[in-house]
Amino acid sequence: MVKVLMKGNEVIAEAAVHAGCKYFFGYPITPQSELVAYMAKRLPEVGGLFLQAESEIAAINMVYGAAGTGVRVMTSSSSPGFSLKQEGISFLVGSELPAVICNIVRGGPGLGNIQPAQSDYFQVTKGGGHGDYHIPVLAPASLQEIVDLTQDAFDIADRYRTPVIIMGDGMLGQMMEPVEFYEAKPKEVPKKDWATTGTRGDGGPKIITSLELNAESLEKHNHHLQAKFKQIKENEVRFEAYETEDADYILVAFGTVARIAMNAIRKARQEGIKVGLIRPISLWPFPEKPFIDTRDKVKSYITVEMSAGQMIEDVRLAVNGHAPVDFFGRTGGVVPTQEEIYHKIISVAGGVEV
Amino acid sequence: MITVYEKTKGLTDKPTHYCPGCTHGIIHRIVGEVLAEMDILEDTIGVASVGCSVLSYEYFNCDMTQAAHGRAPAVATGIKRVLPDRFVFTYQGDGDLASIGMSEVIHAAARGEKITVIFVNNAIYGMTGGQMAPTTLIGQKTVTSPEGRNPNIQGMPIRISEMISTLDGAAYIERVSTHDVPHIAKVKKAIRKAFETQKKGIGFSLIEVLSTCPTNWGIDPIESLEWMKNNMIPAYPLGVYKNIGERE
């Protein structure tokens, strides 16, 4: 297969088409608008349908309707728009409907700006909407990884009947890299015998709902959801560990920040400082194992984020007091530089500032 | 023995939770009858909304989806766009449709979504205990307009059928009432017309059905029907507001 040079947002869209997604309901918002435009052009070519909704709220509810018929369906947005989708996402979880939602994160809070950020980490990993839930969140660091993870996102959604979030930052959405698409091996996903497509030929009426007025019944449903989340935690953790075996210091970063951190690590290694990287790829379920494996050996972890420090809370939980956890972050759309991260490593390592 | 009246196949055996005297039951039955008589029950997906009719998914004898408050037309859009040969309807009250869901219904109508909206207008929020709705009449007392709706404070009521009928995508819009038997017969005719509009693929259809809420209006069921006739119909005149099929 040949490599093609594409923009991140377009790669997500094309990868979704390769994953069998034929329906997309979206609303324009920078910096993910190319995704919407790509789908508008592309989906009719594969016999699918693109519809521009009147709002992000309508878009996620159109996704809810389409998902209920059993098709692979997707929507995307960026932070302020993603906030608007929370109600619908909570309903998708409650009604157990599979869908893929992409959040190309920008600076916040409020209208913020259109620069890259990771400050929606809490929102995507801790539930986001009302109720007791988690959603699988995949955070690619490169455009090629988007291709793999988008396929995974649809498979996970179908396998567990859950919405799945693909989280990138504005940089990932806007950058161009060569990527290679491939026909994915069809994954075993359960038959969607719960879909509401009319009862002709399939017995009695089916109901899709998240309402359960009886407290004991709703608790039972919540226990069922929790059991599913536990299963997802057991099966769907993804991470990359880079040079952590001999590391005295381990950086923790995800998405594009991990790539910048990687360069800082190489420079520090040249200076003789043993630094490694843990890159969570699934932000939820958060990868605890690489921390358990390293927390009694390292001198310190350094979490690097494009936020005021959100993932650091999960890092601390995984480290569980076995080692100090330091932090370096830039917010508001400022991207941390390789030098800044390098200097942070030096300062934590007790070396002389270069 | 000759059967002169029986339960429609369009409804399940589940007893409804509606208050005595509420006209939701009549409207449910009519929707069920129309689906059964058109023989489209098996090809229909209904969308329940939030409010008194939230549990309608247990009463209609077809595939059903329960939507977030006000979002039923967007959910119905998602279903219909994937399954254009199926029948899709929403069943929404005035709080759900005319307040929180105004955006969704207007845009579904503007796009000419080939869905049918059953809009039940009883001028009050029932499920939450009798609060003011966008359709609450001037002077009408509710728990959130205890002195009666004052246009200077709470603003004017909204006429949905008139408003939606101005949109080019709206194909069939009619307002009907459940206050007596002849008018109930008209309700059925209107709802049938709406589903036939959908069948022909002409565009968006909405039937506004004036309905009672004895519990929250604080009057008995018979009096409620009278009150509806004398107060609601002057504010919400009955009739066909849009019929593209006929025009063509």
Short mmCIF file of all heavy atoms in Angstrom, two decimals, chain A residues 23 25 49 51 54-55 57-58 61-62 64-66 69 71 87 91 195-201 204-211 213, chain B residues 39 41-45 54-55 57 61-69 71 74-75 77-79 81-83 86 103-104 107 111 113:
data_model
loop_
_atom_site.label_atom_id
_atom_site.label_comp_id
_atom_site.label_asym_id
_atom_site.label_seq_id
_atom_site.Cartn_x
_atom_site.Cartn_y
_atom_site.Cartn_z
N TYR A 23 -22.08 6.59 8.60
CA TYR A 23 -22.96 7.69 9.00
C TYR A 23 -22.22 8.65 9.92
O TYR A 23 -21.55 8.25 10.87
CB TYR A 23 -24.21 7.13 9.70
CG TYR A 23 -24.99 6.23 8.78
CD1 TYR A 23 -24.74 4.87 8.73
CD2 TYR A 23 -25.93 6.78 7.90
CE1 TYR A 23 -25.43 4.05 7.85
CE2 TYR A 23 -26.61 5.96 7.01
CZ TYR A 23 -26.36 4.60 6.98
OH TYR A 23 -27.04 3.80 6.10
N PHE A 25 -22.77 12.56 11.78
CA PHE A 25 -23.58 13.75 12.07
C PHE A 25 -22.67 14.73 12.80
O PHE A 25 -22.11 14.39 13.85
CB PHE A 25 -24.77 13.37 12.94
CG PHE A 25 -25.66 12.34 12.30
CD1 PHE A 25 -25.45 10.98 12.51
CD2 PHE A 25 -26.70 12.72 11.46
CE1 PHE A 25 -26.26 10.01 11.91
CE2 PHE A 25 -27.52 11.77 10.85
CZ PHE A 25 -27.30 10.42 11.07
N LEU A 49 -23.95 8.41 4.58
CA LEU A 49 -24.66 9.67 4.71
C LEU A 49 -23.97 10.61 5.69
O LEU A 49 -23.61 10.21 6.79
CB LEU A 49 -26.10 9.40 5.20
CG LEU A 49 -26.88 10.68 5.48
CD1 LEU A 49 -28.10 10.77 4.60
CD2 LEU A 49 -27.25 10.81 6.95
N LEU A 51 -24.65 14.32 7.55
CA LEU A 51 -25.65 15.35 7.79
C LEU A 51 -25.09 16.39 8.75
O LEU A 51 -24.57 16.05 9.82
CB LEU A 51 -26.93 14.73 8.38
CG LEU A 51 -28.12 15.68 8.50
CD1 LEU A 51 -28.59 16.17 7.13
CD2 LEU A 51 -29.28 15.00 9.21
N GLU A 54 -27.89 21.04 13.40
CA GLU A 54 -28.05 22.45 13.77
C GLU A 54 -27.24 22.80 15.01
O GLU A 54 -27.08 23.97 15.33
CB GLU A 54 -29.53 22.77 14.00
CG GLU A 54 -30.21 22.01 15.14
CD GLU A 54 -30.83 20.69 14.69
OE1 GLU A 54 -30.34 20.11 13.71
OE2 GLU A 54 -31.80 20.25 15.32
N SER A 55 -26.72 21.80 15.71
CA SER A 55 -25.93 22.05 16.91
C SER A 55 -25.22 20.75 17.28
O SER A 55 -25.56 19.68 16.77
CB SER A 55 -26.83 22.48 18.08
OG SER A 55 -27.65 21.39 18.49
N ILE A 57 -25.55 19.43 20.08
CA ILE A 57 -26.57 18.69 20.84
C ILE A 57 -27.39 17.83 19.88
O ILE A 57 -27.61 16.65 20.11
CB ILE A 57 -27.49 19.65 21.62
CG1 ILE A 57 -26.67 20.43 22.66
CG2 ILE A 57 -28.63 18.91 22.28
CD1 ILE A 57 -27.43 21.56 23.33
N ALA A 58 -27.83 18.45 18.79
CA ALA A 58 -28.61 17.69 17.80
C ALA A 58 -27.75 16.59 17.19
O ALA A 58 -28.21 15.46 17.01
CB ALA A 58 -29.13 18.62 16.71
N ASN A 61 -27.48 13.57 19.32
CA ASN A 61 -28.75 12.86 19.41
C ASN A 61 -29.12 12.17 18.10
O ASN A 61 -29.80 11.14 18.10
CB ASN A 61 -29.85 13.81 19.89
CG ASN A 61 -29.74 14.04 21.39
OD1 ASN A 61 -30.09 13.17 22.18
ND2 ASN A 61 -29.20 15.19 21.79
N MET A 62 -28.65 12.72 16.98
CA MET A 62 -28.80 12.00 15.70
C MET A 62 -27.95 10.73 15.75
O MET A 62 -28.37 9.67 15.27
CB MET A 62 -28.36 12.89 14.55
CG MET A 62 -29.33 14.03 14.28
SD MET A 62 -28.66 15.19 13.06
CE MET A 62 -29.91 16.46 13.09
N TYR A 64 -27.29 9.11 18.40
CA TYR A 64 -28.05 8.21 19.29
C TYR A 64 -29.12 7.45 18.49
O TYR A 64 -29.25 6.22 18.63
CB TYR A 64 -28.69 9.06 20.39
CG TYR A 64 -29.49 8.32 21.44
CD1 TYR A 64 -28.90 7.91 22.64
CD2 TYR A 64 -30.84 8.06 21.27
CE1 TYR A 64 -29.62 7.25 23.61
CE2 TYR A 64 -31.59 7.40 22.23
CZ TYR A 64 -30.98 7.01 23.40
OH TYR A 64 -31.71 6.36 24.37
N GLY A 65 -29.84 8.18 17.66
CA GLY A 65 -30.88 7.54 16.83
C GLY A 65 -30.29 6.53 15.86
O GLY A 65 -30.76 5.40 15.76
N ALA A 66 -29.23 6.94 15.17
CA ALA A 66 -28.61 6.07 14.17
C ALA A 66 -27.97 4.85 14.84
O ALA A 66 -28.11 3.72 14.35
CB ALA A 66 -27.56 6.85 13.37
N THR A 69 -30.11 1.90 15.46
CA THR A 69 -30.47 1.02 14.35
C THR A 69 -29.37 0.00 14.08
O THR A 69 -29.50 -0.84 13.20
CB THR A 69 -30.73 1.82 13.05
OG1 THR A 69 -29.48 2.35 12.58
CG2 THR A 69 -31.71 2.95 13.27
N VAL A 71 -26.06 0.62 13.12
CA VAL A 71 -24.98 0.94 12.17
C VAL A 71 -23.79 1.57 12.89
O VAL A 71 -23.91 2.04 14.03
CB VAL A 71 -25.45 1.91 11.05
CG1 VAL A 71 -26.52 1.24 10.21
CG2 VAL A 71 -25.95 3.23 11.64
N GLU A 87 -24.66 15.52 27.44
CA GLU A 87 -25.97 14.94 27.75
C GLU A 87 -26.20 13.69 26.89
O GLU A 87 -26.55 12.62 27.40
CB GLU A 87 -27.07 15.97 27.45
CG GLU A 87 -28.47 15.43 27.55
CD GLU A 87 -29.49 16.33 26.86
OE1 GLU A 87 -29.30 16.68 25.68
OE2 GLU A 87 -30.46 16.68 27.50
N PHE A 91 -26.56 9.58 27.76
CA PHE A 91 -27.68 8.75 27.29
C PHE A 91 -27.18 7.53 26.50
O PHE A 91 -27.74 6.45 26.60
CB PHE A 91 -28.64 9.58 26.43
CG PHE A 91 -29.70 10.29 27.23
CD1 PHE A 91 -29.36 11.32 28.10
CD2 PHE A 91 -31.03 9.95 27.13
CE1 PHE A 91 -30.33 11.98 28.84
CE2 PHE A 91 -32.02 10.59 27.87
CZ PHE A 91 -31.67 11.61 28.73
N ALA A 195 -31.00 -3.91 18.18
CA ALA A 195 -31.25 -2.69 17.38
C ALA A 195 -32.73 -2.51 17.07
O ALA A 195 -33.46 -3.48 16.85
CB ALA A 195 -30.45 -2.75 16.09
N THR A 196 -33.17 -1.25 17.06
CA THR A 196 -34.56 -0.95 16.72
C THR A 196 -34.64 -0.60 15.24
O THR A 196 -34.32 0.52 14.83
CB THR A 196 -35.10 0.23 17.55
OG1 THR A 196 -34.16 1.30 17.46
CG2 THR A 196 -35.29 -0.14 19.00
N THR A 197 -35.07 -1.58 14.45
CA THR A 197 -35.15 -1.38 13.00
C THR A 197 -36.55 -1.71 12.49
O THR A 197 -36.76 -1.87 11.30
CB THR A 197 -34.15 -2.30 12.28
OG1 THR A 197 -34.42 -3.66 12.68
CG2 THR A 197 -32.71 -1.96 12.64
N GLY A 198 -37.50 -1.83 13.40
CA GLY A 198 -38.83 -2.34 13.05
C GLY A 198 -38.86 -3.82 13.42
O GLY A 198 -37.83 -4.47 13.46
N THR A 199 -40.07 -4.32 13.69
CA THR A 199 -40.17 -5.68 14.23
C THR A 199 -40.41 -6.73 13.16
O THR A 199 -40.50 -7.91 13.47
CB THR A 199 -41.32 -5.76 15.25
OG1 THR A 199 -42.53 -5.37 14.58
CG2 THR A 199 -41.08 -4.86 16.44
N ARG A 200 -40.53 -6.29 11.90
CA ARG A 200 -40.87 -7.25 10.83
C ARG A 200 -39.86 -8.40 10.80
O ARG A 200 -38.67 -8.20 10.61
CB ARG A 200 -40.91 -6.54 9.47
CG ARG A 200 -41.67 -7.31 8.41
CD ARG A 200 -41.95 -6.44 7.20
NE ARG A 200 -42.98 -5.42 7.42
CZ ARG A 200 -44.30 -5.67 7.35
NH1 ARG A 200 -44.74 -6.88 7.08
NH2 ARG A 200 -45.16 -4.70 7.56
N GLY A 201 -40.37 -9.57 11.03
CA GLY A 201 -39.53 -10.77 10.93
C GLY A 201 -38.63 -11.02 12.12
O GLY A 201 -37.87 -11.98 12.12
N GLY A 204 -40.98 -9.59 18.77
CA GLY A 204 -41.64 -8.48 19.46
C GLY A 204 -40.86 -7.19 19.46
O GLY A 204 -39.70 -7.14 19.05
N PRO A 205 -41.50 -6.13 19.92
CA PRO A 205 -40.86 -4.81 19.94
C PRO A 205 -39.63 -4.76 20.84
O PRO A 205 -39.58 -5.40 21.89
CB PRO A 205 -41.95 -3.90 20.50
CG PRO A 205 -43.22 -4.61 20.32
CD PRO A 205 -42.89 -6.07 20.38
N LYS A 206 -38.66 -3.99 20.40
CA LYS A 206 -37.45 -3.74 21.20
C LYS A 206 -37.48 -2.29 21.68
O LYS A 206 -38.04 -1.43 21.00
CB LYS A 206 -36.20 -4.01 20.36
CG LYS A 206 -36.07 -5.49 19.98
CD LYS A 206 -34.95 -5.73 19.00
CE LYS A 206 -35.18 -5.20 17.61
NZ LYS A 206 -36.31 -5.75 16.88
N ILE A 207 -36.89 -2.09 22.83
CA ILE A 207 -36.91 -0.75 23.41
C ILE A 207 -35.48 -0.32 23.74
O ILE A 207 -34.72 -1.09 24.30
CB ILE A 207 -37.76 -0.73 24.71
CG1 ILE A 207 -39.23 -1.01 24.38
CG2 ILE A 207 -37.61 0.61 25.43
CD1 ILE A 207 -40.09 -1.29 25.61
N ILE A 208 -35.15 0.91 23.34
CA ILE A 208 -33.86 1.49 23.73
C ILE A 208 -34.16 2.61 24.71
O ILE A 208 -34.85 3.58 24.37
CB ILE A 208 -33.09 2.01 22.50
CG1 ILE A 208 -32.62 0.82 21.66
CG2 ILE A 208 -31.91 2.88 22.92
CD1 ILE A 208 -32.03 1.19 20.33
N THR A 209 -33.68 2.47 25.92
CA THR A 209 -33.96 3.49 26.93
C THR A 209 -32.88 3.50 28.01
O THR A 209 -32.19 2.50 28.21
CB THR A 209 -35.34 3.26 27.60
OG1 THR A 209 -35.59 4.29 28.54
CG2 THR A 209 -35.41 1.92 28.32
N SER A 210 -32.74 4.64 28.65
CA SER A 210 -31.84 4.71 29.81
C SER A 210 -32.64 4.99 31.08
O SER A 210 -32.08 5.26 32.12
CB SER A 210 -30.79 5.81 29.59
OG SER A 210 -31.43 7.06 29.40
N LEU A 211 -33.97 4.93 30.94
CA LEU A 211 -34.85 5.22 32.09
C LEU A 211 -35.14 3.96 32.87
O LEU A 211 -35.46 2.93 32.29
CB LEU A 211 -36.17 5.83 31.59
CG LEU A 211 -37.22 6.15 32.65
CD1 LEU A 211 -36.79 7.32 33.51
CD2 LEU A 211 -38.57 6.45 32.00
N LEU A 213 -37.20 3.65 36.47
CA LEU A 213 -37.77 4.38 37.61
C LEU A 213 -37.58 3.67 38.94
O LEU A 213 -37.47 4.31 39.98
CB LEU A 213 -39.26 4.65 37.36
CG LEU A 213 -39.54 5.67 36.24
CD1 LEU A 213 -41.02 5.72 35.91
CD2 LEU A 213 -39.03 7.05 36.61
N ASP B 39 -51.20 -0.94 8.63
CA ASP B 39 -50.35 -2.13 8.63
C ASP B 39 -48.86 -1.79 8.56
O ASP B 39 -48.08 -2.37 7.80
CB ASP B 39 -50.74 -3.05 7.45
CG ASP B 39 -50.14 -4.45 7.62
OD1 ASP B 39 -49.83 -4.81 8.78
OD2 ASP B 39 -49.95 -5.14 6.61
N LEU B 41 -47.14 -1.20 11.67
CA LEU B 41 -46.59 -1.37 13.03
C LEU B 41 -45.20 -2.00 13.02
O LEU B 41 -44.31 -1.59 13.76
CB LEU B 41 -47.51 -2.28 13.84
CG LEU B 41 -48.52 -1.65 14.79
CD1 LEU B 41 -49.36 -2.75 15.43
CD2 LEU B 41 -47.83 -0.79 15.85
N GLU B 42 -45.04 -2.97 12.15
CA GLU B 42 -43.77 -3.71 12.12
C GLU B 42 -42.65 -2.92 11.43
O GLU B 42 -41.50 -3.32 11.47
CB GLU B 42 -43.96 -5.05 11.38
CG GLU B 42 -44.83 -6.03 12.15
CD GLU B 42 -44.99 -7.33 11.39
OE1 GLU B 42 -45.45 -7.30 10.23
OE2 GLU B 42 -44.64 -8.37 11.95
N ASP B 43 -43.04 -1.84 10.77
CA ASP B 43 -42.04 -1.04 10.05
C ASP B 43 -41.83 0.31 10.73
O ASP B 43 -41.30 1.24 10.12
CB ASP B 43 -42.51 -0.80 8.60
CG ASP B 43 -42.81 -2.10 7.91
OD1 ASP B 43 -41.95 -2.99 7.91
OD2 ASP B 43 -43.94 -2.24 7.38
N THR B 44 -42.30 0.42 11.97
CA THR B 44 -42.27 1.72 12.64
C THR B 44 -41.32 1.72 13.83
O THR B 44 -41.24 0.75 14.57
CB THR B 44 -43.70 2.09 13.11
OG1 THR B 44 -44.54 2.19 11.96
CG2 THR B 44 -43.71 3.41 13.86
N ILE B 45 -40.60 2.82 13.96
CA ILE B 45 -39.80 3.06 15.16
C ILE B 45 -40.30 4.36 15.77
O ILE B 45 -40.27 5.41 15.12
CB ILE B 45 -38.29 3.14 14.85
CG1 ILE B 45 -37.80 1.82 14.23
CG2 ILE B 45 -37.49 3.42 16.12
CD1 ILE B 45 -37.37 1.94 12.82
N VAL B 54 -43.12 9.96 28.84
CA VAL B 54 -41.79 9.34 28.78
C VAL B 54 -41.89 7.82 28.65
O VAL B 54 -41.07 7.19 28.00
CB VAL B 54 -40.92 9.76 29.99
CG1 VAL B 54 -41.48 9.23 31.29
CG2 VAL B 54 -39.48 9.30 29.82
N LEU B 55 -42.92 7.24 29.31
CA LEU B 55 -43.04 5.78 29.29
C LEU B 55 -43.84 5.26 28.10
O LEU B 55 -44.18 4.08 28.05
CB LEU B 55 -43.67 5.28 30.60
CG LEU B 55 -42.76 5.40 31.84
CD1 LEU B 55 -43.56 5.10 33.10
CD2 LEU B 55 -41.56 4.47 31.74
N TYR B 57 -42.91 4.42 25.47
CA TYR B 57 -42.22 3.31 24.80
C TYR B 57 -42.70 1.95 25.31
O TYR B 57 -42.49 0.93 24.67
CB TYR B 57 -40.69 3.43 24.93
CG TYR B 57 -40.11 3.45 26.33
CD1 TYR B 57 -40.04 2.29 27.11
CD2 TYR B 57 -39.60 4.63 26.87
CE1 TYR B 57 -39.50 2.31 28.38
CE2 TYR B 57 -39.06 4.66 28.15
CZ TYR B 57 -39.01 3.49 28.90
OH TYR B 57 -38.47 3.52 30.16
N ASN B 61 -46.93 -0.57 20.49
CA ASN B 61 -46.54 -1.95 20.18
C ASN B 61 -45.63 -2.01 18.94
O ASN B 61 -45.93 -2.69 17.97
CB ASN B 61 -47.80 -2.80 19.98
CG ASN B 61 -47.51 -4.28 20.02
OD1 ASN B 61 -46.46 -4.70 20.51
ND2 ASN B 61 -48.42 -5.07 19.50
N CYS B 62 -44.56 -1.22 19.00
CA CYS B 62 -43.59 -1.23 17.90
C CYS B 62 -42.23 -0.95 18.52
O CYS B 62 -42.14 -0.66 19.72
CB CYS B 62 -43.94 -0.17 16.85
SG CYS B 62 -44.00 1.51 17.50
N ASP B 63 -41.17 -1.02 17.73
CA ASP B 63 -39.85 -0.68 18.24
C ASP B 63 -39.86 0.77 18.74
O ASP B 63 -40.41 1.66 18.08
CB ASP B 63 -38.78 -0.85 17.14
CG ASP B 63 -38.26 -2.28 17.08
OD1 ASP B 63 -38.75 -3.13 17.85
OD2 ASP B 63 -37.36 -2.54 16.26
N MET B 64 -39.24 0.98 19.89
CA MET B 64 -39.27 2.32 20.50
C MET B 64 -37.89 2.72 21.03
O MET B 64 -37.11 1.89 21.48
CB MET B 64 -40.27 2.35 21.67
CG MET B 64 -41.74 2.22 21.30
SD MET B 64 -42.44 3.59 20.36
CE MET B 64 -42.34 4.96 21.51
N THR B 65 -37.63 4.02 20.96
CA THR B 65 -36.41 4.58 21.53
C THR B 65 -36.81 5.73 22.44
O THR B 65 -37.73 6.48 22.11
CB THR B 65 -35.48 5.10 20.42
OG1 THR B 65 -34.99 4.00 19.68
CG2 THR B 65 -34.29 5.85 20.99
N GLN B 66 -36.11 5.86 23.54
CA GLN B 66 -36.41 6.97 24.46
C GLN B 66 -35.33 8.03 24.28
O GLN B 66 -34.14 7.74 24.37
CB GLN B 66 -36.44 6.43 25.90
CG GLN B 66 -37.17 7.31 26.87
CD GLN B 66 -36.37 8.53 27.25
OE1 GLN B 66 -35.19 8.40 27.53
NE2 GLN B 66 -36.99 9.69 27.21
N ALA B 67 -35.76 9.26 24.02
CA ALA B 67 -34.80 10.34 23.72
C ALA B 67 -34.60 11.26 24.92
O ALA B 67 -35.44 11.34 25.81
CB ALA B 67 -35.31 11.16 22.54
N ALA B 68 -33.50 11.99 24.91
CA ALA B 68 -33.25 13.02 25.92
C ALA B 68 -34.28 14.14 25.75
O ALA B 68 -34.90 14.30 24.68
CB ALA B 68 -31.83 13.57 25.78
N HIS B 69 -34.44 14.95 26.79
CA HIS B 69 -35.49 15.98 26.83
C HIS B 69 -35.38 16.93 25.64
O HIS B 69 -34.39 17.65 25.50
CB HIS B 69 -35.33 16.75 28.15
CG HIS B 69 -36.55 17.51 28.57
ND1 HIS B 69 -37.81 17.28 28.06
CD2 HIS B 69 -36.70 18.49 29.49
CE1 HIS B 69 -38.67 18.10 28.64
NE2 HIS B 69 -38.02 18.85 29.51
N ARG B 71 -35.01 16.26 22.52
CA ARG B 71 -34.14 15.85 21.39
C ARG B 71 -34.78 14.84 20.46
O ARG B 71 -34.13 14.36 19.53
CB ARG B 71 -32.82 15.29 21.90
CG ARG B 71 -32.19 16.03 23.06
CD ARG B 71 -31.83 17.45 22.72
NE ARG B 71 -31.31 18.12 23.90
CZ ARG B 71 -31.52 19.38 24.22
NH1 ARG B 71 -32.27 20.15 23.44
NH2 ARG B 71 -31.00 19.90 25.30
N ALA B 74 -34.26 15.06 16.71
CA ALA B 74 -32.89 14.76 16.28
C ALA B 74 -32.66 13.25 16.28
O ALA B 74 -32.07 12.70 15.34
CB ALA B 74 -31.87 15.46 17.17
N VAL B 75 -33.15 12.58 17.33
CA VAL B 75 -33.03 11.12 17.39
C VAL B 75 -33.79 10.49 16.22
O VAL B 75 -33.28 9.60 15.53
CB VAL B 75 -33.56 10.59 18.75
CG1 VAL B 75 -33.60 9.07 18.76
CG2 VAL B 75 -32.69 11.10 19.91
N THR B 77 -34.41 11.85 13.39
CA THR B 77 -33.64 12.15 12.18
C THR B 77 -32.57 11.08 11.97
O THR B 77 -32.41 10.55 10.86
CB THR B 77 -32.98 13.54 12.30
OG1 THR B 77 -34.01 14.53 12.38
CG2 THR B 77 -32.09 13.83 11.10
N GLY B 78 -31.85 10.76 13.06
CA GLY B 78 -30.80 9.74 12.97
C GLY B 78 -31.35 8.40 12.51
O GLY B 78 -30.77 7.71 11.68
N ILE B 79 -32.51 8.03 13.04
CA ILE B 79 -33.12 6.74 12.68
C ILE B 79 -33.58 6.76 11.22
O ILE B 79 -33.26 5.88 10.44
CB ILE B 79 -34.32 6.43 13.60
CG1 ILE B 79 -33.86 6.32 15.07
CG2 ILE B 79 -35.01 5.13 13.17
CD1 ILE B 79 -35.01 6.27 16.08
N ARG B 81 -32.75 8.67 8.73
CA ARG B 81 -31.71 8.81 7.71
C ARG B 81 -31.01 7.48 7.44
O ARG B 81 -30.52 7.25 6.35
CB ARG B 81 -30.69 9.86 8.13
CG ARG B 81 -31.24 11.29 8.13
CD ARG B 81 -31.60 11.74 6.72
NE ARG B 81 -32.04 13.12 6.69
CZ ARG B 81 -31.51 14.06 5.90
NH1 ARG B 81 -30.52 13.77 5.08
NH2 ARG B 81 -31.99 15.28 5.93
N VAL B 82 -30.97 6.62 8.46
CA VAL B 82 -30.37 5.29 8.25
C VAL B 82 -31.40 4.35 7.63
O VAL B 82 -31.05 3.52 6.78
CB VAL B 82 -29.84 4.70 9.58
CG1 VAL B 82 -29.30 3.31 9.37
CG2 VAL B 82 -28.75 5.59 10.17
N LEU B 83 -32.65 4.49 8.03
CA LEU B 83 -33.70 3.58 7.58
C LEU B 83 -34.81 4.36 6.86
O LEU B 83 -35.92 4.51 7.39
CB LEU B 83 -34.29 2.82 8.77
CG LEU B 83 -33.32 2.01 9.63
CD1 LEU B 83 -34.01 1.53 10.91
CD2 LEU B 83 -32.77 0.81 8.86
N ARG B 86 -38.46 3.02 6.64
CA ARG B 86 -39.26 2.75 7.84
C ARG B 86 -40.07 4.00 8.20
O ARG B 86 -39.76 5.10 7.72
CB ARG B 86 -38.37 2.42 9.02
CG ARG B 86 -37.76 1.03 9.21
CD ARG B 86 -38.18 -0.11 8.39
NE ARG B 86 -37.07 -0.51 7.51
CZ ARG B 86 -36.07 -1.30 7.89
NH1 ARG B 86 -36.06 -1.81 9.10
NH2 ARG B 86 -35.10 -1.60 7.06
N SER B 103 -35.31 24.01 19.17
CA SER B 103 -34.31 24.00 18.10
C SER B 103 -34.41 22.72 17.28
O SER B 103 -34.40 22.75 16.04
CB SER B 103 -32.92 24.14 18.72
OG SER B 103 -31.93 23.88 17.77
N GLU B 104 -34.51 21.58 17.96
CA GLU B 104 -34.52 20.30 17.26
C GLU B 104 -35.75 20.18 16.34
O GLU B 104 -35.64 19.71 15.21
CB GLU B 104 -34.50 19.14 18.26
CG GLU B 104 -33.12 18.86 18.85
CD GLU B 104 -32.67 19.89 19.88
OE1 GLU B 104 -33.53 20.67 20.37
OE2 GLU B 104 -31.47 19.93 20.20
N HIS B 107 -35.51 22.62 13.22
CA HIS B 107 -34.55 22.21 12.19
C HIS B 107 -34.95 20.91 11.51
O HIS B 107 -34.68 20.74 10.32
CB HIS B 107 -33.14 22.15 12.77
CG HIS B 107 -32.56 23.52 12.96
ND1 HIS B 107 -31.95 24.20 11.93
CD2 HIS B 107 -32.55 24.35 14.02
CE1 HIS B 107 -31.58 25.40 12.37
NE2 HIS B 107 -31.93 25.51 13.64
N ARG B 111 -35.47 20.95 7.55
CA ARG B 111 -34.78 20.01 6.65
C ARG B 111 -35.77 19.15 5.89
O ARG B 111 -35.39 18.41 4.99
CB ARG B 111 -33.86 19.08 7.47
CG ARG B 111 -32.57 19.71 7.98
CD ARG B 111 -31.63 18.64 8.53
NE ARG B 111 -32.25 17.84 9.56
CZ ARG B 111 -32.17 18.09 10.88
NH1 ARG B 111 -31.49 19.12 11.31
NH2 ARG B 111 -32.76 17.30 11.74
N GLU B 113 -37.40 16.63 7.22
CA GLU B 113 -37.23 15.23 7.63
C GLU B 113 -38.55 14.50 7.46
O GLU B 113 -39.60 14.99 7.88
CB GLU B 113 -36.79 15.14 9.10
CG GLU B 113 -35.42 15.73 9.41
CD GLU B 113 -34.26 15.00 8.72
OE1 GLU B 113 -34.42 13.84 8.30
OE2 GLU B 113 -33.17 15.63 8.62
#
